[in-house]
Amino acid sequence: MNCTDWRAAILEGREVPGLEAHLARCVECRRLAGDLRTFSTYLADAALWEEPPPDLCDRIVCMLDDRSQPRLRRRSRSRLAAWVVGAAAAVALFAVWVLGDASEPDWQTTMVPTESTITGTATVAGWNTEVGTRVVLDATLLPSAPGDHTYELWFAGEDGVVSAGTFRAGGDVELTVGVARRDYPTILVTLEPLDGDPAPSDLVVLRSTDA
C-alpha cells in the first residue's frame, strides 16, 4: 500500500488490509493521520451532501436583506455566492494537499541515540526538491528540550555542516534544508544552548546509521 492508497482509504472511511502497517512505517502519513480522520468525519456527514433547494440562495438573501436597499441585496447575494465557491475550493485544495503530496520518501534513515539516557531509535524521511531537501523527523524518543536549550538537526559532509532548523520537543518534526543529502550524507541532532552561537554544539543526541 502506498501513501495515496492509504490516505484515500482513510478519507473514504474504508477498512482495507495494510492500513496500520503502512502507518507504522510512514512518517509523513503518521503526521497527517489526525487531520485526515477529522476531515473524514466531515465528509461522512450526510447534511453536507444533501442537494439544496434551487431557491436557497434567494431565500437566504431575502431573510438578511432590506428590500428597500437593492445594492445591499446584490452585495449579499454576491457574498453568499463567493462563500459557496470558497467552501468548495477549500475542499478541493484539501484533497490536493492530502492526495497530491502523497509521494513516498526519496530516502529514509534510522537515527540512533548517542546518549545513554535516551533509548530507542528515530527515523528521518527525506524528499528531494529543486531547492534542497524536505525532511520529516520522527523523534518521539526525545524528551522536551530544557528551557534554555533547543534541538537542532544538521546535514553533515566533507564541506562542513548545514542546519535544517530547530525544534523544542520530540515527535514528528518537518524541516527544510537547502542542500542535497548526497552532498551531506550524515544527519545529526544536537542539543543547543540558546547562546546565539550558530555553530553546532558538541552534544550530539542522535546520529544517522547509514552514512
Side-chain angles (χ1 to χ4, degrees):
M1 173 175 288
N2 60 32
C3 294
T4 301
D5 294 338
W6 185 88
R7 297 177 193 185
I10 293 297
L11 282 176
E12 295 167 8
R14 292 184 287 112
E15 290 294 335
V16 297
L19 281 179
E20 294 304 320
H22 178 84
L23 188 63
R25 68 174 181 271
C26 181
V27 175
E28 183 72 356
C29 285
R30 197 159 56 243
R31 182 179 69 84
L32 293 173
D35 290 339
L36 283 171
R37 290 193 169 104
T38 298
F39 195 72
S40 178
T41 61
Y42 297 149
L43 294 178
D45 187 348
L48 295 179
W49 301 105
E50 183 178 351
E51 188 71 22
D55 62 342
L56 177 61
C57 181
D58 289 335
R59 285 162 51 189
I60 294 177
V61 169
C62 287
M63 285 189 295
L64 300 176
D65 200 3
D66 182 348
R67 292 182 180 275
S68 65
Q69 300 180 21
R71 290 184 180 180
L72 177 60
R73 182 165 60 252
R74 288 194 295 269
R75 186 178 298 117
S76 298
R77 181 179 289 105
S78 174
R79 288 179 178 175
L80 179 61
W83 181 88
V84 172
V85 171
V91 172
L93 285 174
F94 183 87
V96 169
W97 169 63
V98 169
L99 299 177
D101 184 27
S103 59
E104 296 282 358
D106 295 305
W107 53 265
Q108 192 162 339
T109 185
T110 300
M111 306 282 288
V112 295
T114 59
E115 292 289 313
S116 58
T117 56
I118 302 174
T119 59
T121 59
T123 59
V124 174
W127 289 260
N128 303 325
T129 72
E130 294 181 357
V131 294
T133 309
R134 179 172 67 93
V135 297
V136 175
L137 166 68
D138 175 11
T140 54
L141 74 166
L142 291 177
S144 296
D148 55 350
H149 286 71
T150 187
Y151 292 113
E152 191 159 2
L153 187 143
W154 306 84
F155 277 38
E158 294 182 357
D159 295 332
V161 295
V162 179
S163 174
T166 61
F167 58 99
R168 296 299 304 272
D172 288 345
V173 180
E174 183 171 348
L175 301 166
T176 302
V177 60
V179 298
R181 194 188 174 205
R182 63 176 177 272
D183 301 321
Y184 295 82
T186 302
I187 302 178
L188 308 169
V189 174
T190 60
L191 186 62
E192 299 290 328
L194 298 176
D195 56 6
D197 186 351
S201 74
D202 295 329
L203 186 52
V204 177
V205 294
L206 295 174
R207 180 186 295 270
S208 59
T209 60
D210 59 354

